[in-house]
Amino acid sequence: MESLLKKWDGERVVIQQDQLTGAWIIIAMHSSLLGPASGGTRMKSYPTLTDAVYDATRLAASMTYKFAIAGMARGGGKAVIALPPDFEPALRPDLLRRYGILVRQLGGLYETGPDVGTSPEDMDIIAETGSPHVFCQTPANGGCGSSAEATALGVFSGLQAVAEQCFGQTSLANKRVLVQGAGNVGAPLIYHLLEDQAEVLFNDVDEATIHHFRDEVGLPFIPEHKIYETPCDIFSPCALGGVLNETTIPRLQCQAVAGAANNQLATAADADRLHHRGILYAPDYAINVGGAMAVVGIELDGWDQQKADAQVKTIRDSLLTIFSKAKTDGITTEVAAKQIVEARLAAQQAATS
Ligand code: PPY
């Protein structure tokens, strides 16, 4: 844990044990340079506390990069509520309220929203004690609700950039896209792709989701063990992170990887592995920022839906800029995106110091 925190370049981490449930609450605040550290609350079980802290710190750094690449005045943060394996669901609302108290005590240093394992309904509960630092409450509570549709629209716009870069076409028509994870973001993404005449293949682990897309929509279902070697034009990871690693990358049979999942690369070296295989990679934080953009724009800057959609669609241009910089400079897309982010952070640092 000590070496993990020493290596991390963020500002602070707050760790609190919830005595009544045995859950650990970890709030990682990576950067407040562009604005208050903001990002969702992930709620799940982890093998160890160190795994949970690792996830929170890495995800918080991604939020800094997301907001910076999208030109939003927000900093990066993320919270993890690491549940004990035998967690009793009836204790969940009170756990969320105690978490809300901690968020409010931080006084705006960290602002939260939904992530894997939490919903707009959970944000309503957190806001009972954590208000006003809670995004994405339900519309009934005055919030903008789920950001999944906006994330999917942004990923779709990113896929259009990939189609332009790789295949010289502005639509996804006739391109074979394998979507890994047809959940909150993957499902609306699949519908955008179908509307654009793409050929969609999918994988999921949830029986009802598999039934829907395989039997009702009629899409080919790719089982878990065949995902990485299934030939496709674009592989789109929309489930959990770490799927691009030294064992999966050599198996890929695609021209590009572009999807919604956070932290898709297991390590920094995996960007080089993709590059050496000639596979175009859309940096995850650049392509999946649509939800965060829409939420912040709508709830803080008063954007209407039309404005939010238009802004989210600028992800296409942002990716084309990254692809072109990578090509010109002979660097990976991951490094190109990182350089753009670092230049923006450095400019802000210079302006404020
Ligand atoms: C993400 O994009 O991963 C988020 O965490 C979205 C978000 C953005 C701002 C506040 C809360 C959640």
Side-chain angles (χ1 to χ4, degrees):
M1 171 94 77
E2 194 179 334
S3 71
L4 146 67
L5 290 172
K6 269 189 181 157
K7 261 189 251 158
W8 189 59
D9 60 350
E11 290 173 1
R12 61 182 71 83
V13 182
V14 169
I15 301 181
Q16 177 171 310
Q17 192 186 19
D18 183 66
Q19 300 284 352
L20 294 173
T21 59
W24 288 95
I25 298 171
I26 299 125
I27 302 182
M29 287 156 271
H30 180 258
S31 168
S32 57
L33 201 51
L34 300 177
S38 313
T41 299
R42 182 164 289 204
M43 198 169 185
K44 64 192 270 282
S45 288
Y46 289 84
T48 67
L49 175 60
T50 306
D51 290 304
V53 173
Y54 180 66
D55 211 20
T57 50
R58 239 186 128 198
L59 289 162
S62 297
M63 290 308 300
T64 300
Y65 279 65
K66 265 189 220 200
F67 287 120
I69 199 94
M72 309 281 295
R74 287 268 122 185
K78 206 85 168 189
V80 161
I81 302 180
L83 299 173
D86 55 351
F87 183 67
E88 171 61 60
L91 301 177
R92 188 184 159 98
D94 278 340
L95 169 60
L96 290 172
R97 288 185 192 99
R98 290 191 292 276
Y99 167 63
I101 292 172
L102 176 59
V103 169
R104 198 183 54 213
Q105 284 168 341
L106 291 174
L109 285 178
Y110 169 68
E111 305 210 315
T112 197
D115 195 81
V116 173
T118 59
S119 64
E121 288 74 19
D122 292 331
M123 296 306 116
D124 290 354
I125 299 173
I126 295 168
E128 289 174 22
T129 51
S131 173
H133 309 295
V134 186
F135 288 103
C136 298
Q137 293 177 56
T138 62
N141 239 28
C144 69
S146 166
S147 59
E149 295 275 346
T151 305
L153 179 63
V155 173
F156 177 66
S157 303
L159 286 168
Q160 289 178 318
V162 169
E164 187 158 339
Q165 184 73 21
C166 280
F167 315 116
Q169 63 181 58
T170 50
S171 87
L172 275 303
N174 304 317
K175 290 300 160 199
R176 180 187 270 233
V177 185
L178 169 50
V179 178
Q180 179 185 37
N184 290 343
V185 176
L189 173 64
I190 287 175
Y191 289 115
H192 282 298
L193 288 166
L194 292 176
E195 203 180 320
D196 209 27
Q197 315 296 326
E199 181 193 343
V200 179
L201 320 173
F202 83 104
N203 166 268
D204 205 281
V205 291
D206 177 63
E207 274 308 320
T209 306
I210 295 171
H211 169 69
H212 174 68
F213 283 105
R214 183 188 55 199
D215 306 327
E216 292 169 2
V217 184
L219 303 182
F221 168 70
I222 307 299
E224 205 69 19
H225 65 281
K226 289 202 178 138
I227 298 176
Y228 301 105
E229 41 267 291
T230 296
C232 57
D233 294 304
I234 306 173
F235 171 52
S236 184
C238 296
L240 289 177
V243 297
L244 304 172
N245 55 52
E246 61 183 340
T247 54
T248 59
I249 293 171
R251 291 153 66 191
L252 292 175
Q253 297 193 49
C254 59
Q255 309 293 309
V257 176
N262 279 316
N263 296 345
Q264 292 170 32
L265 301 170
T267 66
D270 295 309
D272 300 319
R273 288 195 179 94
L274 286 166
H275 189 70
H276 287 135
R277 287 219 46 211
I279 297 172
L280 181 72
Y281 171 63
D284 47 13
Y285 58 83
I287 192 171
N288 73 12
V289 67
M293 281 171 92
V295 165
V296 170
I298 291 171
E299 295 197 359
L300 294 183
D301 300 336
W303 295 355
D304 59 14
Q305 192 60 49
Q306 206 183 350
K307 167 84 177 164
D309 286 355
Q311 287 298 123
V312 167
K313 287 180 185 168
T314 65
I315 287 174
R316 181 176 170 279
D317 310 314
S318 155
L319 280 178
L320 286 172
T321 304
I322 293 166
F323 295 156
S324 138
K325 178 173 167 56
K327 206 167 184 177
T328 311
D329 298 354
I331 52 181
T332 67
T333 52
E334 182 74 0
V335 169
K338 194 163 188 248
Q339 288 180 359
I340 295 170
V341 163
E342 283 170 356
R344 286 187 184 157
L345 294 175
Q348 180 68 20
Q349 183 85 61
T352 50
S353 57

